[in-house]
Amino acid sequence: MSHPDTCLTLLFPKILEDRVIDMLVESEVLVRGFTLCEVDELGRAAEYQTALEKVLGRAHRMQVTIILDRAGADKVIKDLKQILPRASIVYYMTPVTEFGSFL
């Protein structure tokens, strides 16, 4: 396994949660796992799924954060595009300069 040098963050509507998680759990590139949390997207680019979200000005989303190597991150994005080609998924990658654990 390569050194984990990339943080991949995915943002997507809650309705996609099960499909995204199933794909990630089955992925061979995730050695350590990932984190999942609920977030609110704000701003002009926010895509509202419900009338309540539009009124509140907050689009409810799920956020997944994964630490892995760049090749693995690229594969996750490629696989997601194959199984959910037109899904409202936003992603970004940032460099990881150090990754460790106290265990």
Side-chain angles (χ1 to χ4, degrees), residues 9-27:
T9 302
L10 306 168
L11 295 159
F12 51 89
K14 182 145 177 76
I15 195 166
L16 298 176
E17 180 179 4
D18 289 338
R19 293 193 67 194
V20 171
I21 289 173
D22 288 347
M23 181 251 149
L24 292 173
V25 167
E26 293 175 10
S27 175

Side-chain angles (χ1 to χ4, degrees), residues 45-82:
E47 295 179 23
Y48 305 113
Q49 303 294 310
T50 67
L52 180 59
E53 287 182 348
K54 191 170 186 177
V55 169
L56 295 175
R58 296 173 181 232
H60 188 68
R61 296 285 180 268
M62 301 307 296
Q63 178 176 310
V64 168
T65 304
I66 312 165
I67 306 297
L68 67 175
D69 63 43
R70 178 58 193 254
D74 290 339
K75 178 150 178 34
V76 168
I77 296 304
K78 179 183 172 193
D79 291 349
L80 279 172
K81 285 180 179 179
Q82 283 183 336

Side-chain angles (χ1 to χ4, degrees), residues 1-7 32 66-70 94-100:
M1 179 183 99
S2 298
H3 178 72
D5 61 0
T6 303
C7 177
R32 297 190 59 98
I66 312 165
I67 306 297
L68 67 175
D69 63 43
R70 178 58 193 254
T94 54
V96 173
T97 58
E98 186 172 339
F99 180 74

